């Protein structure tokens, strides 16, 4: 019986042990990955981490991270060798929902940062509030770009008690109201920001904020001048407002110019090299960097080299040839001394024979050499061969092999894009192996904005100065006569080519349909005559089915997402959807 | 518990122990007699016995109190005795008992302070035996006869001297002969019959009547937190024992369960060694809870089947005792324990080969590929890219012809499995030890993939005191998988399917300059670990379970039990990526031009650790009062889980040393992984009641709390009940319908809970950190913190209410057993975000809420037939499970109109419905194309004969989104079935197992949907295509084929729409396993002192019957499962030979 009691005692001890450990509130755990709002509003490091997250969510176009969102595909600038281009020109990504998510976060910060213990001085608080208010205005600007008038939400709404979501319904403000709101907010935010000449180009500061303000005001002015008011002002801005916005754009740009913190990049006498380096030079001497999203391998890399590479220079991961500039785009580049950029392929109806295919491009605008690869371009120590046909023993054959454009992943237009492509990558091309920064706002754009506003305000001489400043830096002849709006727009197209500006410019000038519709897309077909060792070139129309693009008028505004229409009965859909 | 033939149902354990001692004493006595050559003495002790109408039992009690003499008897014998009235004073024991036994039908013997009751006839014999005990010094040769209840001789029954290895079997006349000591116990067993034990007396001729067992009703099955007699089970419970689990030799234990348990659905997704990616669920309800030896443990697929005693699944309210996570059913795995007796050592070994089952292969020569490419160029209106295609024979090095598939994939991959088991024990301590090893190799010809696993397990039970038992289970599973760096099966199949045969292996045909061809990487290079690096995945899993059980001494049937489990899980992955070159040859300069790949060389280590503890305390009570049986359980349980880990990574300048400390400091990465904490606590209760084993009732509950939920909503109460009625026990049926052995009706209903997918800290408002990142200074990444979204302080369990109605019937003594179950599960409060129901301008990320509900219904049928014809015993059993689920409510924004509602709503809709186009067929000629409705945005300009002709479903003259309609049911099977055939004849046994699934469909993706991806190679099947008679002449007549004409880049987009052309009904029946085994005759193996030796051959995934259009293995889901998109490692068919030997 003794043993029996022993057993009972052992079990009793075990029981007590278990009970004790059970009492320790085992079910109340501390989170391992959550910061409370208290911490966020008292610890500057935690605050910065949230701001970092919000910057990463801002609606920049993102050609490096995601080919599918690259807006140049939607224009006459280039095509994708592997895809049908005849898909709708409606952008692949919607910004409505993500935009309002960021706005809610920013509203929350704007409400709480002023009363927080984050910063010791009022200046620092102002600086911080200025930054987040500008971020909010920037998001509204991006929404207005896409949708016209949108509901202006400036407060953090609680989830209605009892689930009556009708409290959350809100109608659209007019597009005018939205741009006025953007103007006021940007102005006030800029006033809160420090005027120090030293700045950080990776986040909004007084100067980059002013630069973006000039773009926003330019956009509003263009809509007023070229668009039409519909849906009681939900989209469109009355023409009477145009002058005000032109002036606002001019003044903001002028303030940047007068600030003197930026200058055009001009570090090399080789104009093509200079223009190329502009996008690669991360050093402080590059005074053209107004707003930049940084990439640092291997922490954060992108795929531009992988996707843009000429077929026979691809990395081990494949891809390549995804960005193929059109012949039309290449011919938009002028010759140094000749404003007609058409390539000289034929003479009196017979093809001109070139021993060096690069000679076809001789004397073109140096910016072409820094932006586009063509047959005969020097590339990574070799000369790029691209041919569509080979003539051997008098017989014409299809262009096979790594240099032939018959490869499904080789260029379909005869050209590759080289604007951000690294001619000497520090590492083999792989997924996310590239870390060229993406400059979203550069000083040249500010100058162009200024020139455009002056031109629209009938101050052509002032505009001409700035257009010529840019042409001069590029290395082509300056314009001496009176410059027209077409001259200006062509200059803007070339200088900012492939930087995703053209998509928005065509929209605000309301010229999208004229540029895109009923147009054929052309490629250049290099024909290599092996017998004579010469090249001839043909202008080749790309198959209509795959490369025709049509812009219907409703695309000047995006479709408001069905989720909003379905859940918020006060929202009116944009015209044509 | 089995009753000893001489046991007394009313004896306590202590008495039984005394009884055993007594047998030993008797044996000693006989020996003593033999030595001394004297007769047993006459007992002279005096006793007094008196009383009116007293039973013999009372007499024995009086004797015991006066003399200390115990009585030993078979209660059956005592039942026959009459009560007596006596008054005996001060008489010798012998005389007194003679008086008491005067008119009784039985006699007695007094031996060594013990009274033994004997049948009258045996009395004399026993006396003679005692008197002539000299004869028993040596063994008696016992001869006997085993008869059936009907009096027919029973052949093949096993007769074993208990506790020894001596044994024999009965011959055709039912006779056996065996040497045994008097006092030994003979055990007579035969499948399907109740085992009998007979004590050897001096009688040398014994007749034993072997009763057929009441099918499996007497069998004890494991249920939640306990065991139950099968006859009393009221829930939907299925179980298998070890004999059903051995016929398959693969690494994944769940493969041995496929189709064996009705309701358990196991599908093999792939056969990659060490991957364990089978899809397993119960009744289609999602991932189930797996409980191994009483403790939830996920990693059951690595268990060595040699250690499994039983696997049970709980499919209804019977799982409610597991509350948390039991909503999808529970699988209970019980591992083997030792049995008292001499040590038993078993050795099991098998060796086998794996071959790929049906798997799409690429075109394996250059010319077929070039024909497709030329055709594609003609279709696109381009000149022929390869007019000289006929030269690619491989004879001229300029015109290579490479079979990449044959170069890279092995035909037969070895698999090898060994285990040693030792078990045995004494009355006080029993033990079971097993150690096993499994080796499996992968499909790469370079032998760069293999898998090694070691299992060990020990299970020791010790009786510390009479009432206190301790049990300790220690188990470990340690494995390592080696594979080349660059070839997850996804990478490999993608490359090898694409690599064209007209590209050489090596640049300039010179090794080792791997040719840099069109495929992203040279398939042969990426499976070469020496060149490109490797991956090592290691897992170490240790499980400890300690249990103390205490039988309360003062209350009969009351038991206290404590359990503590501590599980440790360590994972380590090492990924060594080597930079390497592929080459092109520059003939002009005689140079090999390198392309550097996977650079820089990099090493990544990931370590993680998970610890789980589980504490259980329970009180159990079991007793019966006359016809009332009662069982009760109260149990408290606490579980804690925590995990942590880290990752470290460095780049290397040198690729000679694959050690982290040889790497560069620049760009090194270190980060944490898998930081988790979670706990839950529960109180469980259950009461069972039965009346005359005829009416059965059970009620159970679980009160469960989880740390995942906010404080105020973390506790859930999950009750369940079940009822059973054994109709066959009713007087109006019993013995009236002779063929009906068993008929039982069961009903159960219960509520269960689930917290899977619940995000922790739903009540906290805050910011997730780290989340996203941004660079503020051009150099350093700043970790971001994103807002968590709105809190939901009332997030709680979602509940599943299951209802089950079952019927079990046993007919004609095992000739037909039937079980039918009808079930449904309704779930409420499934987690979803209301996001789509509030305006997006609200801007907040909405929290998880308990919003959705669904309903799943189905049935199961099990039929089984067991019979024996002379020496041939066989069993046929088959089962079928059907289940289909639909949403009751699926949270979504209100649809704008009735079309959108029809198109998008999921409310009250079957799950998994596939939308797409119907087809008229394939265009046969240009006329068809001209007359057809507008097929796509390009009109008909790009269509050719052979292209898919879509049905204008809404008859508006054009094919567009409005023509999409439901065209296929779920991509998950709704029906599973299995058929098991087994038979044995003299030492030979054969087991054949079929398994299949039905009511589902699949649509191939990527390279299985079109030829020439990125203009490279194609799957072989696309050779069966529409083409021209002269493939190089576009004007020659069309030759029809199965697939459309060859077009570059995965074929023609519009042909690849989801449509009835691609969706195939995948119904299949598979010969899953076959095993043929031969048990060597006793007379051979006794020479090596072996008790049993068995050799076997088995095969797995042997043959599949399926629709002729299914060009792939139907279990291997090629319909694009996430990123894998058909590039998953194929299934294998295994062929093994092996041996089982027991000493």
């Amino acid at each position: 019986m003794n043993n029996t009691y022993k057993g009972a005692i052992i079990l009793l001890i075990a029981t007590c042990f278990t009970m004790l450990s059970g009492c320790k509130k085992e079910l109340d755990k501390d989170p391992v990955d959550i910061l409370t709002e208290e911490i966020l509003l008292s610890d500057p490091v935690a605050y910065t981490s949230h701001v970092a997250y919000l910057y990463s969510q801002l609606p920049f176009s993102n050609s490096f991270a995601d080919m599918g969102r690259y807006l140049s595909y939607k224009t006459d600038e280039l095509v994708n060798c592997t895809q049908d281009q005849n898909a709708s020109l409606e952008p692949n990504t919607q910004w409505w929902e993500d935009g309002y998510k960021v706005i809610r976060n920013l509203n929350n910060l704007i409400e709480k940062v002023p009363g927080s213990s984050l910063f010791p001085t009022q200046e620092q608080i102002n600086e911080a509030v200025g930054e987040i208010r500008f971020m909010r205005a920037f998001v509204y600007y991006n929404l207005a770009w896409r949708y016209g008038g949108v509901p202006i939400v400036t407060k953090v709404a609680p989830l209605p008690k009892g689930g009556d979501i009708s409290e959350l319904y809100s109608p659209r403000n007019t597009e005018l109201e939205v741009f006025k709101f953007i103007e006021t907010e940007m102005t006030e935010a800029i006033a809160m920001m420090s005027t120090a000449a030293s700045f950080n180009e990776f986040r909004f500061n007084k100067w980059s904020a002013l630069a973006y303000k000039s773009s926003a005001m330019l956009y509003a002015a263009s809509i007023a001048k070229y668009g039409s008011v519909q849906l009681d002002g939900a989209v469109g801005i009355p023409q009477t407002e145009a002058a005000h916005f032109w002036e606002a754009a001019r003044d903001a740009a002028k303030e940047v110019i007068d600030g003197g913190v930026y200058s055009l990049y001009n570090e090399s006498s080789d104009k093509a090299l200079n223009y190329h380096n502009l996008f690669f030079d991360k050093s402080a001497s590059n005074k053209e960097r107004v707003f930049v999203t940084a990439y640092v391998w291997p922490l954060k890399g992108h795929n531009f080299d992988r996707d843009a590479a000429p077929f026979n220079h691809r990395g081990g991961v494949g891809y390549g040839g995804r960005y193929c500039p059109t012949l039309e785009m290449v011919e938009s580049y002028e010759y140094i001394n000749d404003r007609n950029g058409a390539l000289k392929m034929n003479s009196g109806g017979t093809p001109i024979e070139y021993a060096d295919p690069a000679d076809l491009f001789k004397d073109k605008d140096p910016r072409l050499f820094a932006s586009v690869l063509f047959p005969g371009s020097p590339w990574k120590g070799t000369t790029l061969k691209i041919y569509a046909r080979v003539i051997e023993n008098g017989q014409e054959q299809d262009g096979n092999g790594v240099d032939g454009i018959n490869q499904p992943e080789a260029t379909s237009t005869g050209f590759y894009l080289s604007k951000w492509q690294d001619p000497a990558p520090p590492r083999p091309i792989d997924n996310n192996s590239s870390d060229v920064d993406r400059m979203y706002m550069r000083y040249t754009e500010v100058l162009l904005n200024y020139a455009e506003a002056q031109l629209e305000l009938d101050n052509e001489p002032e505009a001409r100065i700035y257009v010529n400043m840019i042409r001069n830096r590029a290395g082509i002849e300056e314009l001496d006569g009176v410059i027209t709006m077409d001259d200006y727009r062509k200059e803007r197209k070339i200088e900012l080519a492939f930087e995703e500006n053209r998509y928005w410019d065509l929209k605000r000038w309301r010229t999208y349909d004229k540029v895109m519709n009923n147009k054929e897309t052309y490629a250049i077909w290099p024909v290599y005559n092996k017998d004579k060792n010469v090249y001839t070139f043909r202008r080749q129309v790309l198959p209509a089915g795959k490369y025709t693009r049509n812009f219907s008028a409703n695309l000047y505004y995006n479709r408001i997402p069905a989720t909003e229409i379905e859940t918020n009965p006060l929202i009116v859909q944009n015209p044509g959807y | 518990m089995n009753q000893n033939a001489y046991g007394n149902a009313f004896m306590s354990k202590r008495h039984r122990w005394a009884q055993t001692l007594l047998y030993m004493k008797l044996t000693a006595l006989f020996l003593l007699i033999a030595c001394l050559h004297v007769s047993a003495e006459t007992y002279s002790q005096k006793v007094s016995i008196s009383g009116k109408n007293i039973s013999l039992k009372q007499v024995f009690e009086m004797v015991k109190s006066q003399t200390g003499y115990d009585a030993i008897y078979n209660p059956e014998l005592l039942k026959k005795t009459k009560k007596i009235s006596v008054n005996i004073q001060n008489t010798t024991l012998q005389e007194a008992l003679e008086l008491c036994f005067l008119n009784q039908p039985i006699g007695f013997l007094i031996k060594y302070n013990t009274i033994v009751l004997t049948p009258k006839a045996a009395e004399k014999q026993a006396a003679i035996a005692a008197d002539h005990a000299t004869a028993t010094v040596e063994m008696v040769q016992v001869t006997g006869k085993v008869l059936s209840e009907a009096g027919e001789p029973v052949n093949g029954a096993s007769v074993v001297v208990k506790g020894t290895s001596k044994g024999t079997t009965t011959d055709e006349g039912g006779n056996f002969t065996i040497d045994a000591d008097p006092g030994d116990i003979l055990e007579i067993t035969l499948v399907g019959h109740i085992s009998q034990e007979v004590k050897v007396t001096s009688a040398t001729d014994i007749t034993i009547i072997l009763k057929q067992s009441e099918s499996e009703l007497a069998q004890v099955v494991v249920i939640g937190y306990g065991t139950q007699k099968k006859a009393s089970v009221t829930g939907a419970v299925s179980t298998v024992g070890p004999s059903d689990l051995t016929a398959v030799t693969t690494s994944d234990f769940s493969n041995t369960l496929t189709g064996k348990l009705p309701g358990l659905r196991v599908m093999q997704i792939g056969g990659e060694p060490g991957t364990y990616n089978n899809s397993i669920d119960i009744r289609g309800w999602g991932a189930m809870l797996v409980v191994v030896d009483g403790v939830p443990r996920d990693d059951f697929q690595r268990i060595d089947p040699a250690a499994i005693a039983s696997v049970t699944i709980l499919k209804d309210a019977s799982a409610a005792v597991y509350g948390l996570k039991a909503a999808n059913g529970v699988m209970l795995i019980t591992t083997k324990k030792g049995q008292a007796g001499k040590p038993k050592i078993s050795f099991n070994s098998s060796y086998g080969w794996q071959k790929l089952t049906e798997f799409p292969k690429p075109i394996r020569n250059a010319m077929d590929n070039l024909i497709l490419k030329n055709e594609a160029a003609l279709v696109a209106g381009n000149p022929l890219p390869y007019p000289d295609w006929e030269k690619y024979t491989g004879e001229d090095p300029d015109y290579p012809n490479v079979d990449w598939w044959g170069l890279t994939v092995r035909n037969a991959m070895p698999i090898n499995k060994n285990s040693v088991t030792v078990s045995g024990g004494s009355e006080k301590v029993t033990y079971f030890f097993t150690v096993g090893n499994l080796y499996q190799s992968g499909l790469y010809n370079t032998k760069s993939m293999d898998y090694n696993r070691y299992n060990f397990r020990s299970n020791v039970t010790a009786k510390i005191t009479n009432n206190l038992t301790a049990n300790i289970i220690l188990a470990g599973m340690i494995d390592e998988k080696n594979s080349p760096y660059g070839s997850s099966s996804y990478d490999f199949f993608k490359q090898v399917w694409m690599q064209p045969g007209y590209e050489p292996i090596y640049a300039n045909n010179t090794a080792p300059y791997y040719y840099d061809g069109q495929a992203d990487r040279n398939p042969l290079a990426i499976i070469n670990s020496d060149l490109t690096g490797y991956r090592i995945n290691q897992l170490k899993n240790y499980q400890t379970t300690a249990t103390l059980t205490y039988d309360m001494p003062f209350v009969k049937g009351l038991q206290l039990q404590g359990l503590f489990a501590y599980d440790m899980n360590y994972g380590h992955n090492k990924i060594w990526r080597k930079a390497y070159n592929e080459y092109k040859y520059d003939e002009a300069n005689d140079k090999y031009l390198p392309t550097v790949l996977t650079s820089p060389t990099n090493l990544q280590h990931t370590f993680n650790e998970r610890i789980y503890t589980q504490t259980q305390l329970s009180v159990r009570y079991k007793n019966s009062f006359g016809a009332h049986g009662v069982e009760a359980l109260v149990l408290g349980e606490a579980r804690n889980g925590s995990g942590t880990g880290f990752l470290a990574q460095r780049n290397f300048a040198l690729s000679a040393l694959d050690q982290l400390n040889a790497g560069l400091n620049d760009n090194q990465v270190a980060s944490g992984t898998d930081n988790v904490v979670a706990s839950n606590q529960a109180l469980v209760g259950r009461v069972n009641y039965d009346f005359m084993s005829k009416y059965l009732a059970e009620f159970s509950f679980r009160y469960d709390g989880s740390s995942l939920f906010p404080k105020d909503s973390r506790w859930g109460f999950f009750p369940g009940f079940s009822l059973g009625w054994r109709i066959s026990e009713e007087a109006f049926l019993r013995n009236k319908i002779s063929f009906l052995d068993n008929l039982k009706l069961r009903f159960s209903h219960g509520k269960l809970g689930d917290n899977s997918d619940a995000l922790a800290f739903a009540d906290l408002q805050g910011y997730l950190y780290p989340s996203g990142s941004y660079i503020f200074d051009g150099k350093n990444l700043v970790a971001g913190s994103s807002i968590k979204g709105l809190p939901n302080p009332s997030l709680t369990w979602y509940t599943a209410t299951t209802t089950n109605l079952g019927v079990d019937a046993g007919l004609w003594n095992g000739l037909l057993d039937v079980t039918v179950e009808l079930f449904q599960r309704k779930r409420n409060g499934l987690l979803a975000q209301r996001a789509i129901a509030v305006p997006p301008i609200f801007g907040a990320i909405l929290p998880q809420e308990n919003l959705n509900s669904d309903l799943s219904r189905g049935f199961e049928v099990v039929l089984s037939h067991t019979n024996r014809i002379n020496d041939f015993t066989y069993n046929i059993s088959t089962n079928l499970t059907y289940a289909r689920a639909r949403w009751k409510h699926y949270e979504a924004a209100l649809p704008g109109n009735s079309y959108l509602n029809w198109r998008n709503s999921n409310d009250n809709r079957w799950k998994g419905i596939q939308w797409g186009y119907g087809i008229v067929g394939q265009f046969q000629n240009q006329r068809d194309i001209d007359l057809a409705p507008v097929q796509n945005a390009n009109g008909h300009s790009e269509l050719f004969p052979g292209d898919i002709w879509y049905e204008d479903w809404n008859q508006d003259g054009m094919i567009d989104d409005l023509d999409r309609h439901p065209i296929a049911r779920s991509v998950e099977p709704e029906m599973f079935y299995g058929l098991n055939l087994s038979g044995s004849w003299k030492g030979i046994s054969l087991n054949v197992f079929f398994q299949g699934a039905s009511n589902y469909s699949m649509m191939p993706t990527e390279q299985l949907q079109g030829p020439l991806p990125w203009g490279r190679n194609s799957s072989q099947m696309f050779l069966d295509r529409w083409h021209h008679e002269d493939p190089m002449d576009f004007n020659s007549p069309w030759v029809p084929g199965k697939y459309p004409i060859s077009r570059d880049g995965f074929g023609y987009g519009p042909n690849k729409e989801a449509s009835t052309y691609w969706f195939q009904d995948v119904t299949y029946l598979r010969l899953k396993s076959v095993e043929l085994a031969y048990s060597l005759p006793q007379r051979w193996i006794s020479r090596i002192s072996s008790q049993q030796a068995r050799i076997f051959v088995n095969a797995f995934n042997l043959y599949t019957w399926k629709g002729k259009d299914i060009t792939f293995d139907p279990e291997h889901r090629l319909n694009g499962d996430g990123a894998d998109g058909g590039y998953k490692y194929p299934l294998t068919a295994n062929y093994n030979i092996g041996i089982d030997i027991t000493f």
Side-chain angles (χ1 to χ4, degrees), chain A residues 1 3-8 10-11 14-19 21-23 25-37 40 45-56 60 82 84 86 96-97 100-102 104-105 108-109 131 151 153 157-160 165 168-170 200 202-203 282 291-300 311-312 314-319 322 389 397-398 400-402 406-409 427-430 525 545-546 563-564 566-568 571, chain B residues 373 377 381-387 464-468 517-521 548-551 553-554 560-562 564 577 584 595-600 615-617 638 640-641 651 667 669 675-681 705-709 711 714-715 760-761 764-788 790 835-847 849 893-896 900 938 942 1014-1016 1048-1049:
Chain A
M1 275 304 175
N3 281 341
T4 308
Y5 289 123
K6 261 188 227 161
I10 293 170
L11 214 62
T15 311
C16 294
F17 179 74
T18 316
M19 293 310 223
S21 63
C23 287
K25 305 238 172 204
E26 282 292 334
L27 298 186
D28 293 328
K29 302 285 182 195
D30 290 323
V32 292
D33 59 351
I34 299 174
L35 301 175
T36 61
E37 191 155 278
L40 199 88
V45 175
Y47 172 78
T48 308
S49 79
H50 187 44
V51 175
Y53 173 76
L54 292 175
Y55 267 106
S56 75
F60 299 112
T82 61
D84 281 3
N86 60 4
W96 187 279
E97 291 167 23
Y100 277 102
K101 272 181 195 155
V102 178
R104 187 183 172 93
N105 280 273
N108 184 43
L109 288 185
E131 182 180 30
V153 180
L159 194 64
I165 60 165
L168 303 176
Y169 296 163
S170 176
N200 178 340
F202 305 105
R203 59 201 295 177
K282 295 184 179 193
F291 189 88
V292 177
T293 291
Y295 288 86
V296 178
W297 184 87
L299 304 173
K300 189 180 178 192
F311 184 79
N312 58 345
R314 300 188 308 161
V317 287
Y319 294 86
R322 297 305 197 264
R389 294 284 185 265
Q397 295 173 4
D398 200 41
N400 270 321
V402 293
N406 189 46
Q407 291 287 356
E409 288 182 288
R427 59 197 74 87
I429 294 173
D430 206 331
W525 267 22
K546 200 174 167 188
T563 48
E564 187 69 53
E566 284 162 13
T567 52
N568 183 356
I571 295 286
Chain B
K373 290 196 85 160
N382 294 332
L384 285 191
Y386 292 96
I464 299 169
T465 71
N466 280 343
N467 288 3
L468 186 67
Q518 289 187 55
D520 299 336
R521 293 191 186 150
L548 270 180
T549 309
Y550 180 59
D551 292 309
F554 311 113
L560 220 61
Q561 195 180 67
F564 181 72
R577 180 185 78 177
K584 289 201 170 86
T595 307
V596 186
L597 291 155
T598 55
S599 171
T615 315
Q616 261 176 26
L617 268 178
N640 273 302
N651 293 331
N667 297 317
V669 175
N675 293 313
V676 287
V677 282
S679 297
N680 64 290
Q681 292 177 356
S706 163
S707 67
L708 281 182
F709 293 119
K711 213 166 185 172
R714 70 167 52 127
W715 289 92
F761 308 108
L764 271 187
Q765 186 150 26
Y767 297 81
L768 294 173
Y769 181 87
S771 164
S773 63
Y774 192 74
I775 298 171
F776 277 134
D777 61 355
K779 292 182 203 69
N780 299 300
L781 216 54
V782 173
S785 52
S786 66
I787 199 155
K788 227 185 119 256
L790 295 179
I836 33 188
V838 299
I841 56 165
F842 180 55
I845 301 163
L846 284 131
E849 293 178 76
L894 285 178
L900 286 176
N938 297 322
E942 296 166 352
W1014 298 286
R1016 298 173 195 169
D1048 240 342

Side-chain angles (χ1 to χ4, degrees), chain A residues 540-552:
Chain A
Q540 175 71 30
V541 66
L542 289 171
K546 200 174 167 188
Y547 292 98
T548 313
R549 294 174 288 189
N550 264 297
F551 187 91
S552 53

Side-chain angles (χ1 to χ4, degrees), chain B residues 500-630:
Chain B
Y502 56 79
E503 289 192 337
I505 305 167
Y506 301 110
N508 196 28
N509 289 305
T510 309
Y513 299 100
Y514 284 98
Y515 183 69
D516 176 17
Q518 289 187 55
D520 299 336
R521 293 191 186 150
N522 187 313
L524 204 56
I526 59 174
I527 59 171
N528 180 346
S529 334
D530 293 336
L531 181 72
T532 55
Y534 57 81
R535 290 165 191 263
I536 299 175
N537 300 64
Q538 292 174 331
L539 192 86
K540 300 182 187 75
N541 197 335
Y542 304 104
Q543 300 174 347
T544 316
T545 319
T547 314
L548 270 180
T549 309
Y550 180 59
D551 292 309
M552 296 289 274
F554 311 113
V555 186
K556 195 175 155 211
L558 189 65
Q559 197 185 56
L560 220 61
Q561 195 180 67
L563 174 148
F564 181 72
Y566 190 86
D567 291 1
M568 295 169 282
N569 227 314
Y570 297 100
H572 170 215
N573 297 328
K574 180 178 181 183
I575 303 174
W576 174 240
R577 180 185 78 177
K578 269 173 97 168
Y580 76 101
N581 293 338
E582 286 181 8
Y583 298 88
K584 289 201 170 86
Y585 182 62
D586 176 3
E587 210 176 332
N589 302 311
D590 187 25
K591 257 187 178 167
Y592 293 93
L593 306 173
T595 307
V596 186
L597 291 155
T598 55
S599 171
T601 298
N602 175 285
L603 177 63
Q604 190 191 75
H605 274 281
T606 322
F607 278 93
N608 57 62
E609 175 197 76
R610 297 253 164 148
I611 305 283
Y612 299 98
T613 63
Q614 171 109 352
T615 315
Q616 261 176 26
L617 268 178
S618 57
V619 182
R620 290 154 203 266
Y621 178 71
K622 184 178 181 177
N623 208 342
S624 55
F625 306 93
H628 308 273
V630 177

Side-chain angles (χ1 to χ4, degrees), chain B residues 989-1002:
Chain B
S989 66
L990 177 69
N991 183 301
V992 180
F993 180 65
F994 298 89
Q995 173 264 334
S998 183
N999 278 32
Y1000 73 117
S1001 47
M1002 269 197 228

Side-chain angles (χ1 to χ4, degrees), chain B residues 903-924:
Chain B
R903 190 68 194 269
N904 299 330
S905 169
N906 275 317
D907 280 5
N908 264 315
R909 293 276 174 89
W910 294 113
K911 289 184 179 179
I913 293 289
Q914 304 293 311
W915 290 67
Y917 295 118
I919 62 162
V920 177
Q922 280 164 282
F923 293 112
Q924 297 298 308

Side-chain angles (χ1 to χ4, degrees), chain B residues 820-831:
Chain B
V820 178
E821 314 251 16
L822 292 176
F823 59 83
Q824 78 162 32
R825 179 184 72 162
K826 189 173 185 319
R827 294 194 295 177
N828 278 315
L830 294 172
L831 303 178

